[in-house]
Amino acid sequence: IYLVRKKPKIFDSKKGVEFLQRYAESEVKLLFFRILAKLKGHRLIDNYTDQKKKSDTVFIVGSGESINDLSEKEWDIIKRHNIIGLNYSFVHPIVPDYFFMEMIPYKEMQDFFCEYTRDKYADVDMFFQYKHMIKSGFDLGGYAFQDRCYVHIPHLYPTIYPEILGVYFDDLIESKRLSLGHLIHHNSHIGSAVMFAQVLKFKNIVLLGIDLNKGDYFTDSKIESKVFPPTQDYHKLNRLRTLYNKAKNDFKGKLHPTMNNQLLKERGCVPMDEYFKVYKKNIADPYLVKLYVNSNKSILSEFIEVFDFDK
């Protein structure tokens, strides 16, 4: 009813009609997840107040091997600004200010995460994707830093058509504006982290290791960092990730699930490069927010500028 009144033209498209039902379903689920989280006593990201912002620039640390190309000088520059950690990057020696986690349904990996971060992440503000928490069975109440943890329940916006994704983005901005309570997780958690940074009013958002190019992870790359040599924790993570990926069977060779067109059609998502084209045009650019990547190895460098550390 809302879309009939506000966006009637979307019904003129076969593509639009095809995915409106999935969109409506995901939005209804979002409301129930929010109610459940409150009943469980979790703190929602809506109530988070940032006290860590240092500048207008933030670096988001992913898991791609291009992270290992960064020099000591470049890491020194990164450490002068804020850092957002993402998923498997928790084993990197750099400790972030904020950390976003998609907990996977693999108990041994969950135990490793909790053990590894118990001391290292004492001052990190943590954000867990609630749907993944439920699916994985992860007990946030038993986590050592639950007093620094928040859950976020993002919009999923399921569609395989970039133009429909753009309609959803425009509608979100028009009806709710940018806010922590309305982050987007369409295909990958990196989308939520980028939007989180924008809501906190960072003007320069630099993606480190978001390569999407069938390359290795920084933990098992043949290209070793001269600043941060591999550790035993890297090897343990690689072993656990391999076991989990074999069981889940999402990976086709080295093709990441977020770039696997066939898998994404089944899930109702666009590939991450298409996602960021739409995000840049519809959400980042109108707010004068500049997106960067750290390397031309990233597929995103085709339309997102490579950050110039020398400047």
Side-chain angles (χ1 to χ4, degrees):
I1 292 172
Y2 170 77
L3 288 168
V4 166
R5 292 176 176 174
K6 299 289 288 187
K7 305 283 183 182
K9 289 185 178 180
I10 196 172
F11 291 95
D12 296 338
S13 162
K14 181 180 178 181
K15 294 178 180 179
V17 173
E18 184 175 344
F19 277 89
L20 283 172
Q21 182 177 357
R22 295 179 69 172
Y23 165 64
E25 181 183 341
S26 71
E27 290 296 280
V28 170
K29 284 182 177 178
L30 180 146
L31 296 175
F32 280 100
F33 279 135
R34 289 181 69 88
I35 293 170
L36 180 61
K38 288 182 178 180
L39 290 175
K40 293 281 188 180
H42 297 304
R43 291 192 298 173
L44 298 184
I45 194 173
D46 314 36
N47 302 317
Y48 175 69
T49 301
D50 179 36
Q51 297 180 340
K52 295 191 170 188
K53 193 167 183 279
K54 300 176 184 177
S55 70
D56 286 335
T57 300
V58 65
F59 293 86
I60 300 178
V61 181
S63 298
E65 66 179 349
S66 68
I67 283 178
N68 290 343
D69 294 332
L70 293 166
S71 67
E72 185 172 6
K73 175 186 173 183
E74 289 166 341
W75 277 114
D76 286 341
I77 292 171
I78 292 167
K79 287 186 286 186
R80 292 203 296 266
H81 299 276
N82 290 106
I83 299 172
I84 299 174
L86 197 66
N87 295 338
Y88 290 135
S89 73
F90 71 85
V91 297
H92 196 280
I94 290 292
V95 178
D97 301 288
Y98 323 89
F99 189 81
F100 273 70
M101 187 64 181
E102 291 177 278
M103 192 57 74
I104 64 172
Y106 193 65
K107 186 64 166 58
E108 197 173 350
M109 181 70 88
Q110 294 179 16
D111 292 343
F112 177 47
F113 169 80
C114 292
E115 173 191 346
Y116 187 83
T117 59
R118 182 170 290 115
D119 297 321
K120 183 180 176 181
Y121 274 38
D123 296 320
V124 178
D125 292 343
M126 313 278 285
F127 306 91
F128 291 83
Q129 214 269 38
Y130 193 50
K131 182 180 176 182
H132 285 264
M133 268 180 53
I134 293 174
K135 289 177 67 176
S136 68
F138 179 65
D139 179 17
L140 187 59
Y143 184 53
F145 301 125
Q146 57 177 297
D147 60 328
R148 300 190 69 86
C149 295
Y150 298 81
V151 300
H152 71 101
I153 303 150
H155 297 271
L156 303 180
Y157 292 154
T159 180
I160 60 172
Y161 305 118
E163 60 267 38
I164 302 300
L165 188 63
V167 173
Y168 294 159
F169 284 1
D170 290 343
D171 177 65
L172 179 75
I173 298 300
E174 180 183 329
S175 61
K176 300 180 177 66
R177 301 297 177 183
L178 288 177
S179 72
L180 293 176
H182 293 283
L183 301 183
I184 299 167
H185 182 154
H186 170 73
N187 179 352
S188 167
H189 216 192
I190 181 62
S192 297
V194 168
M195 196 169 182
F196 171 83
Q198 186 168 342
V199 173
L200 295 191
K201 300 190 182 305
F202 287 103
K203 290 298 183 183
N204 306 297
I205 302 173
V206 189
L207 309 181
L208 306 177
I210 310 298
D211 301 336
L212 309 177
N213 61 1
K214 302 185 186 180
D216 294 322
Y217 288 96
F218 75 88
T219 56
D220 61 1
S221 172
K222 296 179 180 64
I223 303 169
E224 293 186 359
S225 170
K226 295 179 181 178
V227 187
F228 300 110
T231 67
Q232 288 302 313
D233 295 309
Y234 283 18
H235 301 320
K236 183 172 182 178
L237 178 72
N238 294 337
R239 178 180 67 82
L240 294 175
R241 183 172 52 214
T242 299
L243 291 172
Y244 172 69
N245 289 341
K246 282 182 179 178
K248 195 174 184 186
N249 197 32
D250 275 353
F251 279 77
K252 306 300 178 187
K254 285 190 174 182
L255 185 61
H256 196 275
T258 62
M259 294 294 289
N260 183 332
N261 282 313
Q262 184 55 45
L263 179 64
L264 296 177
K265 284 183 179 180
E266 296 170 7
R267 291 181 174 177
C269 300
V270 303
M272 279 314 290
D273 56 341
E274 293 294 333
Y275 174 89
F276 274 113
K277 286 178 184 177
V278 179
Y279 185 92
K280 182 176 183 298
K281 177 183 176 183
N282 293 64
I283 298 184
D285 289 351
Y287 284 84
L288 304 181
V289 169
K290 187 78 173 179
L291 299 180
Y292 297 91
V293 291
N294 69 296
S295 171
N296 56 18
K297 290 181 179 180
S298 171
I299 287 178
L300 301 180
S301 66
E302 295 175 8
F303 58 92
I304 293 178
E305 185 179 344
V306 176
F307 189 76
D308 189 343
F309 284 92
D310 290 331
K311 290 184 179 180

